[in-house]
Amino acid sequence: MRRMNLPLLAVFGILPLVLAGCANHLRDTESVSQEDDKKTLSVKYDLKLTPETIRDASYHVEIEKQESVEVKKFQVNTVKSIVTPYQGWREFYEVPAGIGLLPVSIGSHLLFICTFGILPYDVPKNITNLSFTGMNPALNWENEDRSEENLVSAERKMLSDVTENIRTPLAQQDISVRSEKDNRKFTTDEFGGFDLNFLALNEKDTFYPNARKITFVLEGSPEKELKHVILTRDFLSRLSKAKDRINAYRANPSGKDLFDTVIYLEQNGFEQLGYSLEESELARTANDSRFQEEFKAAAKQ
């Protein structure tokens, strides 16, 4: 009866050692790095019209995002432990191998003594460590291939705490331009800009204002009004007359009427619009000699 219990006693005697196994520590590593923590304190937008004074019919709009950001810089000292994790089943071959290496360990130490240190001491030392580690049922052999990193400590030390003002173009954003019930969506380019034409030669490019107040809104959730401008009565009156004058020319175009229309636009402050009309019409009628001669004759008067 006692003989039958011996294997069970051996199993229950070794089992606690296997369950109590621990990772084999290889080494510690320490690293130093820097980290930035950024916190946005406030955000606002700056919208600029070029030219600043609304006079001509076309404008370039540029929008910048302005952020007040608190920036904290930290130095982080990190210590990690490199270990070989414990796996109990490996003891079934590591323990016998460790026992087998014990005579080799003893022999290597004798060889070290007999050679008066010619044999490097690291040789018997490593064999001995390998033997005793193998015979220890609560420890596996060192193995770099299945090693793991465990965080030991991470200490953060603040280096600086400053507030920065960051200006960036509001790129690739949808901007809604509103005039009473009229609404047109524009998308900014990579520089945060887009062109706004109150009156253009192409009707698709025209956003004709039906009210004095023009509002620029950043689309999103929620929407945010960026800026509004108030057009003068004089500007709206001149813009309306310029539109009527261009339509009248297009209804019955001639070289002389083109010249007179361009002069009218220039005299009323729409130099760019007048220039664009002149260039496009002269190009369109390049093969119309009568039209070209009429324009040249009117220009010489």
Side-chain angles (χ1 to χ4, degrees):
M1 189 69 177
R2 291 181 179 178
R3 290 181 181 178
M4 294 178 62
N5 289 336
L6 287 177
L8 292 176
L9 291 174
V11 171
F12 285 108
I14 295 174
L15 186 60
L17 295 175
V18 173
L19 296 177
C22 59
N24 190 346
H25 180 266
L26 301 180
R27 62 188 175 277
D28 287 339
T29 61
E30 184 174 359
S31 61
V32 179
S33 61
Q34 286 194 357
E35 294 181 357
D36 292 346
D37 283 351
K38 296 184 178 181
K39 179 182 178 182
T40 302
L41 304 178
S42 61
V43 178
K44 67 177 183 178
Y45 299 90
D46 183 29
L47 186 148
K48 293 182 179 179
L49 288 175
T50 305
E52 294 183 2
T53 301
I54 296 180
R55 191 170 60 89
D56 211 323
S58 298
Y59 303 90
H60 184 67
V61 182
E62 288 186 353
I63 307 172
E64 277 189 340
K65 183 179 182 180
Q66 301 179 2
E67 297 177 279
S68 178
V69 180
E70 181 183 29
V71 181
K72 295 181 180 179
K73 295 183 180 294
F74 295 90
Q75 177 178 291
V76 183
N77 296 322
T78 304
V79 178
K80 293 182 179 180
S81 176
I82 311 298
V83 300
T84 300
Y86 181 77
Q87 293 178 334
W89 65 269
R90 294 182 183 274
E91 297 303 323
F92 288 103
Y93 69 85
E94 287 186 1
V95 171
I99 295 173
L101 284 173
L102 186 58
V104 180
S105 172
I106 296 173
S108 65
H109 280 279
L110 292 174
L111 184 61
F112 171 76
I113 295 173
C114 293
T115 58
F116 300 100
I118 295 177
L119 178 69
Y121 181 68
D122 285 345
V123 175
K125 178 184 176 181
N126 291 336
I127 296 175
T128 301
N129 290 339
L130 195 62
S131 174
F132 279 89
T133 301
M135 289 188 295
N136 187 345
L139 202 64
N140 286 156
W141 278 333
E142 295 180 0
N143 190 330
E144 290 284 353
D145 292 338
R146 63 185 190 91
S147 61
E148 295 179 350
E149 287 186 352
N150 296 323
L151 180 64
V152 177
S153 65
E155 180 182 357
R156 301 180 82 206
K157 178 182 178 182
M158 184 182 293
L159 300 177
S160 63
D161 184 0
V162 297
T163 300
E164 297 180 357
N165 294 318
I166 303 175
R167 301 170 66 97
T168 55
L170 193 65
Q172 304 301 320
Q173 292 289 323
D174 291 336
I175 305 298
S176 178
V177 182
R178 299 172 182 175
S179 173
E180 279 193 346
K181 296 181 180 180
D182 289 342
N183 183 27
R184 175 78 64 86
K185 185 176 74 174
F186 297 86
T187 301
T188 59
D189 58 22
E190 62 270 26
F191 302 104
F194 65 92
D195 291 324
L196 175 63
N197 303 305
F198 288 140
L199 185 58
L201 301 182
N202 190 339
E203 186 66 25
K204 294 181 179 180
D205 297 330
T206 299
F207 179 73
Y208 191 83
N210 292 317
R212 296 181 63 192
K213 184 177 180 180
I214 306 297
T215 305
F216 299 85
V217 177
L218 174 62
E219 291 196 344
S221 180
E223 294 187 335
K224 180 177 180 60
E225 180 178 327
L226 302 176
K227 187 175 184 178
H228 68 267
V229 294
I230 304 300
L231 305 178
T232 64
R233 290 289 183 186
D234 175 68
F235 175 80
L236 287 177
S237 176
R238 288 186 291 109
L239 192 67
S240 177
K241 292 177 181 178
K243 181 180 180 181
D244 293 341
R245 189 65 182 258
I246 293 174
N247 290 337
Y249 160 75
R250 285 176 169 170
N252 188 23
S254 68
K256 183 179 184 308
D257 198 20
L258 172 62
F259 180 81
D260 292 341
T261 302
V262 170
I263 292 298
Y264 177 84
L265 294 175
E266 292 177 344
Q267 290 176 344
N268 284 273
F270 302 114
E271 291 90 351
Q272 182 62 46
L273 183 60
Y275 176 77
S276 297
L277 178 64
E278 178 181 325
E279 290 295 300
S280 64
E281 287 300 294
L282 290 179
R284 184 182 65 83
T285 60
N287 297 324
D288 188 339
S289 58
R290 179 180 178 182
F291 188 99
Q292 297 287 328
E293 290 300 325
E294 287 181 355
F295 182 82
K296 292 177 181 178
K300 291 179 180 179
Q301 293 179 0

